[in-house]
């Protein structure tokens, strides 16, 4: 049996910190949470599960997480002083041990609080700096953060999947994966692509339907 490994899988990520799982992976989960919620949050709470709960101080997971929501990448030297940068921005933060259930031992729930709402992401660091996002704003997903992705939430309405698919088809794009998550009348659609879309395509999708949430991650 052959196994396809990339040089990234073998060597691991370029990073600041002692552990790819506890620093680089944690940082990427928090960075994803920032992309979903956006800038402007006034508080960041990190609910730590399993080994994250037990070793987050010694492995620098706390600094990596806080740096991630501040927009620092795994190789950013500023990670070492994440607390200082958060304090300078008057951002409150906490690290709270919590049993998140039957999930990977390196899992964290990131809650970003804004003046008028909250944004929540739950993700696991699965090794080598790789991550798996398992929940976005309460909706269960399975997303690894490696491809350009459209994430949208909306009230039940006819033709949404066809609308998105047709724009992509007309422009010659291939859908890598598509997930629909139903919570009553609330729907979340996650579409992973093989390549980046243009700003014009994003605008056509964003303006062509009514959404409660729309985000394109490239």
């Amino acid at each position: 049996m052959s196994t396809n490994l990339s040089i990234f899988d073998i060597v691991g990520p370029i990073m600041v910190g002692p552990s790819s799982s506890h620093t680089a992976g944690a940082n990427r989960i928090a960075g994803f949470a920032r992309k979903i919620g956006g800038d402007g949050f006034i508080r960041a709470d990190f609910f730590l599960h399993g080994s994250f709960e037990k070793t987050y101080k010694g492995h620098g997971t706390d600094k990596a997480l806080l740096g991630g929501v501040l927009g620092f990448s795994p190789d950013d030297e500023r990670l070492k002083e994440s607390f200082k940068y958060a304090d300078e921005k008057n951002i409150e933060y906490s690290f709270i041990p919590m049993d998140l259930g039957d999930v990977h031992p390196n899992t964290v729930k990131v809650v970003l609080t804004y003046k008028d709402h909250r944004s929540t992401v739950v993700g696991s660091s699965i090794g080598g700096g790789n991550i798996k996002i398992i929940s976005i704003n309460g909706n269960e997903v399975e997303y690894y953060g490696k491809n350009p992705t459209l994430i949208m939430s909306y009230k039940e309405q006819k033709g949404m999947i066809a609308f998105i698919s047709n724009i992509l088809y007309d422009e010659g794009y291939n859908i890598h994966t598509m997930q629909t998550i139903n919570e009553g009348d609330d729907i979340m659609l996650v579409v992973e692509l093989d390549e980046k879309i243009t700003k014009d395509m994003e605008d056509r999708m964003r303006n062509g339907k009514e959404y409660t949430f729309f985000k394109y991650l490239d």
Side-chain angles (χ1 to χ4, degrees):
M1 181 179 68
S2 63
T3 302
N4 294 321
L5 293 175
S6 69
I7 190 68
F8 179 85
D9 294 320
I10 298 168
V11 176
I14 299 171
M15 64 183 187
V16 174
S19 166
S20 60
S21 293
H22 287 74
T23 50
N27 174 263
R28 288 190 169 121
I29 295 168
F32 179 84
R34 176 191 172 90
K35 289 179 181 179
I36 290 295
D39 200 2
F41 56 92
I42 57 178
R43 182 178 180 86
D45 294 297
F46 305 95
F47 297 88
L48 304 160
H49 172 85
S51 62
F52 271 180
E53 169 192 339
K54 295 178 177 63
T55 64
Y56 73 93
K57 290 183 179 180
H59 283 173
T61 306
D62 48 1
K63 295 177 181 178
L65 288 167
L66 191 56
V69 298
L70 292 174
F72 305 160
S73 61
D75 60 349
D76 195 320
E77 289 290 334
R78 291 177 295 177
L79 284 181
K80 299 175 182 178
E81 297 184 282
S82 294
F83 295 160
K84 183 192 78 170
Y85 287 104
D87 293 341
E88 288 175 352
K89 291 177 176 289
N90 294 316
I91 294 173
E92 298 181 2
Y93 50 88
S94 68
F95 302 90
I96 305 164
M98 175 177 282
D99 185 349
L100 296 175
D102 185 18
V103 294
H104 191 284
N106 297 332
T107 296
V108 60
K109 178 179 180 180
V110 183
V111 180
L112 299 181
T113 300
Y114 300 78
K115 289 183 178 180
D116 57 357
H117 71 284
R118 288 183 175 182
S119 180
T120 303
V121 164
V122 182
S124 303
S125 177
I126 57 177
N130 296 298
I131 66 172
K132 178 182 178 181
I133 302 301
I134 60 175
S135 177
I136 300 172
N137 292 330
N139 297 288
E140 293 185 6
V141 299
E142 185 174 327
Y143 174 62
Y144 294 89
K146 293 184 176 181
N147 296 337
T149 302
L150 291 155
I151 302 174
M152 57 205 82
S153 297
Y154 51 90
K155 294 295 184 181
E156 177 67 57
Q157 53 187 291
K158 292 182 179 179
M160 177 63 80
I161 293 176
F163 171 71
I164 298 297
S165 299
N166 286 338
I167 292 177
L168 293 169
Y169 177 79
D170 289 345
E171 297 293 337
Y173 281 74
N174 183 57
I175 294 175
H176 185 75
T177 66
M178 178 181 286
Q179 302 176 62
T180 54
I181 302 96
N182 296 60
E183 294 288 342
D185 291 335
D186 296 310
I187 311 295
M188 174 171 279
L189 180 64
V190 181
V191 184
E192 292 186 71
L193 307 169
D194 287 337
E195 57 185 311
K196 296 179 180 181
I197 63 173
T198 65
K199 182 64 166 60
D200 175 69
M201 291 174 64
E202 180 184 350
D203 290 342
R204 285 162 58 193
M205 294 178 190
R206 187 186 300 272
N207 299 325
K209 292 285 186 177
E210 293 185 4
Y211 308 92
T212 55
F213 176 87
F214 184 102
K215 186 74 68 170
Y216 170 57
L217 306 176
D218 61 3

